[in-house]
Amino acid sequence: MATISPLILRTSPLCLWTPHSNKPLSSLPFFTIPKSKALSILCSTKMEGSEITEDVAENSGANEIVKKKIFVAGATGSTGKRIVEQLLAKGFQVKAGVRDLDKAKNSLSHDNPALQIVKADVTEGSEKLSEAIGDDSEAVICATGFRPGWDLFAPWKVDNFGTVNLVEACRKLGVNRFILISSILVNGAAMGQILNPAYIFLNVFGLTLIAKLQAEQYIRKSGINYTIIRPGGLRNEPPAGNIFMEPEDTLYEGTISRDQVAEVAVEALLHPEASYKVVEIVSRADAPKRSYEDLFRSIKQR
């Protein structure tokens, strides 16, 4: 009986189509085929409507497609913890950067083999952060936030210099995907919202919003592929409406569940439409249910 030699793809891109999407996995960020072993496949092409797809059958023993490792700064925070949980739920490997390892062991699922907990304090400089992030992380999500107290420089140490340290660590390591959880009204003065009670209140603690805005501007000039997410007032309760997404410097009121903020951060990794964009989000009961692809695509780059 004649044998069929497996076809090894060398120069042409591999298109693997998801069962619930019209996008090839190879076009989505953070989906790769391991380079350590050759992937032998048999491909047959067929036409479905106006779309060409490929049926792929892997030889036994070939590696499966794997999702990359994501570093989360501020992983034990109220929002950061939810980001870690949602990343793990979607099958990502996660490196959780925390200041307090003991606290992390009590609040994170440290027995999950896909989760690695490492000590990382964004205020200690980019060199130590580079060691924490490591050369195995493919993206960084920054969900840090200062703790209110008597130190009026805390917002600048964490929300400004800390974020800058993370960006510099990414540049040293060649990590080219950065997602920041910021806040609406960071540019309130330019929006004519300088007398907005929320803008005044949030800046009472060491000019927090101004510190965040300075960090945003640094990210945008860094050359790194970024998504800056500006949520409204954060709620710990479950979602009570659909996500309403607008361009930067648009929203000046509204709230949103931390669960939804975490979801937007994770989805930004999966959708190229989120690249190099600043998005503002709140939750509204009357907002229509929209796909994340549609939401991110509706926001134009500036």
Side-chain angles (χ1 to χ4, degrees):
M1 184 174 64
T3 59
I4 300 176
S5 300
L7 172 64
I8 307 296
L9 290 190
R10 298 185 184 276
T11 58
S12 59
L14 173 64
C15 290
L16 300 179
W17 294 84
T18 63
H20 303 295
S21 169
N22 62 354
K23 285 187 173 184
L25 288 179
S26 57
S27 74
L28 298 177
F30 313 113
F31 284 89
T32 60
I33 300 173
K35 298 179 181 178
S36 58
K37 295 182 181 179
L39 177 66
S40 299
I41 58 173
L42 296 175
C43 294
S44 64
T45 304
K46 63 181 181 180
M47 180 72 72
E48 293 183 356
S50 60
E51 191 174 86
I52 298 177
T53 65
E54 289 179 309
D55 286 338
V56 180
E58 296 188 21
N59 285 349
S60 59
N63 288 340
E64 295 180 354
I65 291 177
V66 296
K67 294 180 180 178
K68 301 284 188 69
K69 183 176 291 185
I70 312 300
F71 180 88
V72 180
T76 55
S78 297
T79 303
K81 181 180 178 180
R82 288 168 167 82
I83 292 173
V84 170
E85 291 171 348
Q86 293 200 28
L87 284 170
L88 292 172
K90 284 186 175 290
F92 283 96
Q93 297 182 58
V94 179
K95 186 177 289 188
V98 303
R99 290 190 302 174
D100 188 332
L101 290 174
D102 291 332
K103 177 182 177 181
K105 291 176 182 178
N106 293 326
S107 61
L108 297 175
S109 302
H110 61 279
D111 57 342
N112 189 323
L115 174 64
Q116 179 184 359
I117 301 174
V118 297
K119 184 173 177 57
D121 187 336
V122 296
T123 66
E124 292 184 347
S126 61
E127 289 296 334
K128 288 188 176 181
L129 284 174
S130 296
E131 296 175 5
I133 295 170
D135 57 8
D136 57 344
S137 296
E138 300 292 335
V140 168
I141 300 179
C142 178
T144 57
F146 83 102
R147 295 177 181 178
W150 295 108
D151 185 359
L152 295 180
F153 292 102
W156 291 87
K157 293 176 181 177
V158 177
D159 295 319
N160 183 281
F161 302 130
T163 303
V164 169
N165 288 337
L166 275 173
V167 172
E168 284 305 303
C170 287
R171 294 175 71 174
K172 291 176 183 178
L173 294 167
V175 176
N176 193 42
R177 192 71 177 97
F178 195 95
I179 295 174
L180 173 70
I181 308 300
S182 185
S183 173
I184 63 171
L185 283 175
V186 292
N187 204 20
M191 296 169 61
Q193 294 294 318
I194 196 168
L195 297 179
N196 186 311
Y199 183 76
I200 295 172
F201 175 77
L202 290 172
N203 276 320
V204 165
F205 300 103
L207 303 177
T208 306
L209 293 179
I210 296 175
K212 288 179 179 291
L213 180 62
Q214 293 291 320
E216 286 189 12
Q217 293 172 347
Y218 191 89
I219 294 169
R220 297 172 78 162
K221 294 177 181 178
S222 70
I224 291 177
N225 180 352
Y226 65 85
T227 302
I228 297 171
I229 301 168
R230 296 178 178 175
L234 297 172
R235 293 184 285 102
N236 293 324
E237 296 78 17
N242 292 324
I243 292 173
F244 183 75
M245 184 178 290
E246 286 289 289
E248 61 184 294
D249 302 342
T250 301
L251 300 177
Y252 55 86
E253 62 180 359
T255 63
I256 187 168
S257 168
R258 291 182 188 272
D259 292 323
Q260 290 173 307
V261 176
E263 188 174 292
V264 172
V266 174
E267 291 293 333
L269 294 172
L270 301 172
H271 296 280
E273 295 85 0
S275 295
Y276 300 102
K277 290 182 179 179
V278 180
V279 301
E280 299 188 343
I281 54 173
V282 294
S283 178
R284 293 183 178 175
D286 59 349
K289 180 68 174 178
R290 300 169 64 187
S291 69
Y292 278 103
E293 180 180 4
D294 185 31
L295 285 167
F296 286 124
R297 183 184 290 128
S298 70
I299 306 301
K300 304 303 179 184
Q301 295 180 358
R302 287 191 183 180

